[in-house]
C-alpha cells in the first residue's frame, strides 16, 4: 500500500467524529478487500516502526508523565491517529508536539487521543469481521510472510539514548515540551 492511500484511510477514520478513532478505522478497513487490509497492516507496521526512537519516546515520557514499553507502542499508534501532517512533524522534530492543542490541553484528552492501543489492532479486527472467523488475520499474515524471501532481522536505530529522569537533559533535547510538561508537573 502506498503512503498516500494509507494516510487517506487514516484521515477518513479521523473524520468520523461520532465514534472513537479505532472503531472508525476498523469500519473503514472492513470496507476493503482482504488483501488490501493486509497491505494496510504492513504499512501501519512500517509507519509505526519509523518513530521507534529515543527522542520520540522521551516526548511521550514528558507528555504522558511516564511511558512504559507498552505505552510507547500505544503512543506511536496515537501519533498515527493524529494524521499525516502531525505524524510527519513529530517524526522530523518530536519537540513540535508542544504546539499540538491536545498537548496544551487536559491530560484526560491526551490519554484518549495519544494512547491508541486499539488502533494497533484495527486491521486484525476488520479482517476477522470480513471473514467472520476470529484469528483469521493472523493466519493470513503468516501465510503472506512465508511466501516472501526471509530476511535477517535488523535492530532498529533508535538514535542516541539518554536518561529521561534528567530534567536538564530533557530541557536541552526537547526544550518546548520540557518547558510545557515539566513546569506543568511542578504545579501539581
Amino acid at each position: 500500500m502506498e503512503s498516500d492511500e494509507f494516510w487517506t484511510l487514516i484521515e477518513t477514520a479521523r473524520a468520523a467524529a461520532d465514534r472513537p478513532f479505532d472503531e472508525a478505522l476498523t469500519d473503514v478497513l472492513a470496507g476493503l478487500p482482504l488483501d488490501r487490509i493486509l497491505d494496510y497492516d504492513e504499512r501501519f507496521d512500517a509507519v509505526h516502526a519509523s518513530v521507534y526512537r529515543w527522542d520520540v519516546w522521551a516526548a511521550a515520557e514528558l507528555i504522558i508523565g511516564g511511558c512504559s514499553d507498552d505505552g510507547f507502542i500505544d503512543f506511536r499508534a496515537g501519533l498515527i491517529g493524529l494524521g499525516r501532517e502531525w505524524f510527519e512533524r513529530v517524526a522530523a522534530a518530536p519537540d513540535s508536539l508542544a504546539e499540538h492543542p491536545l498537548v496544551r490541553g487536559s491530560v484526560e484528552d491526551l490519554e484518549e487521543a495519544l494512547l491508541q492501543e486499539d488502533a494497533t489492532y484495527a486491521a486484525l479486527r476488520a479482517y476477522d469481521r470480513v471473514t467472520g472467523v476470529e484469528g483469521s488475520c493472523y493466519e493470513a499474515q503468516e501465510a503472506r510472510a512465508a511466501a516472501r524471501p526471509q530476511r535477517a532481522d535488523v535492530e532498529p536505530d533508535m538514535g542516541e539514548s539518554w536518561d529521561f529522569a534528567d530534567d536538564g537533559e530533557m530541557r536541552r533535547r526537547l526544550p518546548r515540551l520540557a518547558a510545557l510538561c515539566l513546569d506543568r508537573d511542578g504545579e501539581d
Side-chain angles (χ1 to χ4, degrees):
M1 175 172 286
E2 295 297 321
S3 184
D4 288 342
E5 183 181 358
F6 172 83
W7 287 111
T8 297
L9 293 169
I10 295 295
E11 293 302 331
T12 301
R14 285 175 38 79
D18 61 328
R19 59 194 180 282
F21 171 70
D22 64 283
E23 292 174 14
L25 183 56
T26 299
D27 291 344
V28 167
L29 295 174
L32 298 175
L34 292 174
D35 64 324
R36 299 306 288 156
I37 296 172
L38 294 175
D39 292 343
Y40 165 87
D41 194 47
E42 288 176 2
R43 175 62 70 166
F44 179 91
D45 288 347
V47 171
H48 193 257
S50 74
V51 287
Y52 185 66
R53 303 188 329 240
W54 290 118
D55 57 348
V56 177
W57 201 330
E61 179 81 18
L62 284 169
I63 293 166
I64 305 301
C67 189
S68 67
D69 295 349
D70 287 344
F72 189 49
I73 291 169
D74 301 347
F75 181 81
R76 289 180 288 138
L79 291 178
I80 293 169
L82 293 178
R84 184 180 203 163
E85 178 184 344
W86 273 103
F87 183 88
E88 289 177 352
R89 285 179 71 180
V90 172
D95 201 36
S96 67
L97 268 170
E99 301 165 19
H100 196 284
L102 287 169
V103 175
R104 301 186 84 66
S106 76
V107 173
E108 291 176 53
D109 290 341
L110 277 174
E111 297 286 331
E112 187 174 323
L114 289 180
L115 297 179
Q116 289 284 331
E117 176 182 9
D118 291 338
T120 305
Y121 305 107
L124 302 175
R125 288 193 315 270
Y127 196 97
D128 289 355
R129 182 189 301 170
V130 172
T131 63
V133 178
E134 190 172 328
S136 61
C137 189
Y138 293 116
E139 292 174 18
Q141 289 169 325
E142 288 174 9
R144 199 180 244 213
R148 290 195 179 127
Q150 297 300 315
R151 53 193 159 144
D153 287 334
V154 177
E155 284 291 318
D157 179 7
M158 293 183 64
E160 183 182 354
S161 176
W162 72 90
D163 181 2
F164 294 171
D166 182 340
D167 287 357
E169 193 65 18
M170 292 294 254
R171 289 182 190 281
R172 185 177 76 75
R173 292 178 185 256
L174 300 168
R176 293 178 294 163
L177 273 175
L180 182 66
C181 299
L182 293 175
D183 293 345
R184 176 177 58 206
D185 291 345
E187 294 171 4
D188 294 339

